[in-house]
Amino acid sequence: MQIVKNTVVSIDYTLTSDAGEVLDTSKGASPLVYLHGVGGLIPGMEKGLDGRHLGEAFKIKIAAGDAYGERRGELVQPVPRDKFAGATEIKVGQQFQAQTPQGPQVVTVVAVDETNVTIDANHPLAGQTLNFDVKVVDVRLATEGELQHGHVHGPGGHQHQ
Ligand code: ZN
């Protein structure tokens, strides 16, 4: 079966950076299951999978613009230390969940001094070219309910009734 809009696709994948560092993998875990063609995955990934068949194994190289976007300098901002009153110790590299107008977002501490904590709200993979090794392990038609909800039900998806 072929990957077209409104199919439910399962893939095994390994994601590496351009430097060859493994950033993420489904090895040792369950395949990634998603509803194709509704924007559930990053645009470069959906493009790379479109039209492929069950059992195919291939590589997809995705530029930052088709993945998590370019890094934006304005998302790196100093925040007064007293905003972190609840945290006992703040270190470079620490991650916090912050409330933003776009919803909850993970921010990373990139610098700390006496008055300010500088945080970076860019996605950790922003600005990076992503290299995926992919194998298509299942393709099926989405059910009526899945199409109504816009997501996958059952294994790898939502477990609601
Ligand atoms: Zn649902």
Side-chain angles (χ1 to χ4, degrees), residues 149 151 153 158 160:
H149 288 194
H151 57 229
H153 293 160
H158 287 236
H160 57 200

Side-chain angles (χ1 to χ4, degrees), residues 62-76 105 120-129:
I62 306 173
D66 265 344
Y68 292 96
E70 300 296 342
R71 282 186 60 80
R72 290 163 55 197
E74 70 270 25
L75 295 181
V76 180
Q105 188 166 8
D120 183 351
N122 284 288
H123 189 282
L125 295 176
Q128 292 212 48
T129 299

